[in-house]
Amino acid sequence: MSLASQVLPLVGVAMGAVVSLTVSAVNERTRWRRQQSVRWDERRLNAYAEYAHVVKDLSNRYTGLAIARGLTTGPTPLEPTDTVLTELAAAEAHRSALAEALWLLGDVDSNTAAVKLNHALWHLEWLARGIPTTGIATWPEAFLEFRKARENFLKAARLDLGVRGNQITHDVPWPPPWRPSNGTGAIGT
C-alpha cells in the first residue's frame, strides 16, 4: 500500500471535518443574526405602537380642551382644571420618555417623522391652552397638520418594520361628510 493511498482518505476526512465545521459555524451565525433581528423588530414595533398610542391619547385630550374653549365641536369637552393640567403634564412626560426608545431603535426617517409629529402635537396643545402661535392659527388647520404628521410617522414606522405597502388607508375625506360644516374643525383621529 502506497503512502498516497493511505494519506488521501485522511486528507478527505480532514477536509470533510473542516467543511462540516465551517457550514455549522455559518449556519449558527445566520441563526443568531435572525434571532437578533426578530428581537429588535419586536422592540421597534412596541416602541412605535406605544408612542403612537400616547400621541393619539394626548391629541384627544387637547381636542377636549379645544372643545371647552370653543375652537372645535365635539361630545367631550375637557375643562382645564388643575387636575386635568397635571394629568396632561404627566402624559406629556410619558410621551417624552417613550420618545427615547424611538431614538434608540428607530431609523432616521421614522425619527424625523416623530419630531414633526411632536411639533404638530405641541401646536395642538398651544392652541388648546390659548397660547399664541404663529403661522397656522386655527384648530381645523392645525388638526389637519397633526393628522398628516401622524400618518407620515406611521408610514415611516411601517417601512422601517418591513410592513408591506406604503399606504395606510385609501384617501378618506376629513371631516367626514356626515359632520355639519360649521367651520370649527375636527374632533378626533
Side-chain angles (χ1 to χ4, degrees):
M1 199 173 219
S2 72
L3 182 64
S5 65
Q6 291 176 355
V7 172
L8 282 177
L10 292 175
V11 170
V13 169
M15 284 180 58
V18 168
V19 169
S20 178
L21 183 63
T22 302
V23 168
S24 293
V26 167
N27 284 339
E28 184 63 27
R29 184 172 175 89
T30 301
R31 187 179 63 79
W32 182 82
R33 283 184 176 170
R34 192 176 312 121
Q35 287 173 339
Q36 291 300 311
S37 176
V38 167
R39 175 179 161 205
W40 290 114
D41 284 348
E42 288 175 9
R43 289 186 179 187
R44 271 199 319 273
L45 171 62
N46 289 336
Y48 287 140
E50 287 178 38
Y51 189 77
H53 176 75
V54 77
V55 165
K56 186 172 183 176
D57 180 57
L58 277 166
S59 75
N60 288 339
R61 291 181 190 201
Y62 295 146
T63 299
L65 289 177
I67 293 167
R69 291 193 66 238
L71 300 176
T72 189
T73 59
T76 53
L78 187 60
E79 295 297 327
T81 64
D82 287 341
T83 302
V84 167
L85 295 177
T86 300
E87 289 173 359
L88 282 171
E92 173 58 27
H94 183 61
R95 184 216 53 80
S96 180
L98 290 176
E100 296 303 317
L102 291 183
W103 309 143
L104 291 171
L105 299 171
D107 67 353
V108 172
D109 291 338
S110 298
N111 289 344
T112 302
V115 169
K116 291 177 180 179
L117 179 56
N118 289 341
H119 292 182
L121 179 67
W122 294 331
H123 191 188
L124 291 182
E125 177 188 17
W126 280 37
L127 289 173
R129 290 181 182 231
I131 302 170
T133 65
T134 59
I136 298 171
T138 67
W139 182 266
E141 293 169 322
F143 194 81
L144 185 59
E145 175 189 37
F146 167 78
R147 283 177 49 92
K148 288 178 184 174
R150 184 170 179 271
E151 184 174 340
N152 288 337
F153 169 72
L154 293 174
K155 283 180 182 179
R158 287 169 51 96
L159 186 62
D160 183 36
L161 292 168
V163 176
R164 291 182 309 171
N166 60 359
Q167 196 171 341
I168 296 172
T169 63
H170 294 289
D171 290 336
V172 178
W174 188 262
W178 53 263
R179 266 196 82 191
S181 60
N182 57 6
T184 59
I187 61 169
T189 55

